[in-house]
Amino acid sequence: MTVERAVDVTDELVSAVAHLLPQLTSRMTSADDVELVEMLATPGTNLYVARDGANNIVGMLTLVVYRIPTGLRGRIEDVVVDEAARGQGVGVALANAALELAAKVGVDSVELTSSPARASANRLYRRLGFEQRETNVYVWRPR
């Protein structure tokens, strides 16, 4: 397995994202090629993909690095591993690649959220050294 940072939007990437995102949540709609181009062009946004031995994309993770008044922060979003590839270290490899970049650029912390129902993902994050915070998470959505 290999992990790489996506730098170009290809038909393969668009297809892989369309295949993976519904496995993350049933409410998720896939990003089209225009949205992926915009995302990859956004400073601080890093999309990682994992490839299996046959060079197929089997997982993805997004790391966003951003500066706020209290420091340089990172946030991991949209982590998904194809059902057929789960339990093979894909999530670990993706997270390690993202955390390596985060450390290299000097972030003060990296945060992520995960549903309590995603037991294996939560175990993975704890194994990687993430600490569970006691906090309220709020969301605002424009109408």
Side-chain angles (χ1 to χ4, degrees):
M1 172 197 356
T2 60
V3 174
E4 62 193 44
R5 192 169 151 251
V7 293
D8 295 312
V9 175
T10 62
D11 290 342
E12 176 196 28
L13 181 62
V14 172
S15 178
V17 170
H19 174 72
L20 291 169
L21 283 181
Q23 296 180 55
L24 181 62
T25 176
S26 60
R27 297 179 318 242
M28 190 66 62
T29 58
S30 185
D32 63 24
D33 56 341
V34 173
E35 291 167 323
L36 287 172
V37 166
E38 181 180 337
M39 184 185 81
L40 294 182
T42 302
T45 301
N46 304 277
L47 176 63
Y48 285 92
V49 296
R51 294 179 178 277
D52 64 12
N55 208 33
N56 299 310
I57 296 175
V58 295
M60 61 182 253
L61 172 153
T62 304
L63 169 69
V64 180
V65 176
Y66 57 97
R67 182 162 298 282
I68 57 176
T70 56
L72 188 62
R73 303 282 191 252
R75 182 153 188 90
I76 290 178
E77 292 285 349
D78 296 342
V79 180
V80 59
V81 174
D82 188 70
E83 291 172 339
R86 291 180 188 163
Q88 299 174 26
V90 175
V92 171
L94 285 164
N96 282 337
L99 296 174
E100 182 179 313
L101 175 63
K104 181 179 177 180
V105 299
V107 301
D108 298 310
S109 63
V110 175
E111 294 183 337
L112 56 81
T113 61
S114 184
S115 167
R118 296 182 67 214
S120 59
N122 284 281
R123 282 191 303 274
L124 167 66
Y125 301 138
R126 284 191 289 278
R127 273 197 327 264
L128 290 170
F130 284 87
E131 302 167 7
Q132 187 172 1
R133 290 177 51 184
E134 286 196 35
T135 188
N136 296 328
V137 176
Y138 299 93
V139 62
W140 176 86
R141 291 184 174 97
R143 294 186 193 251

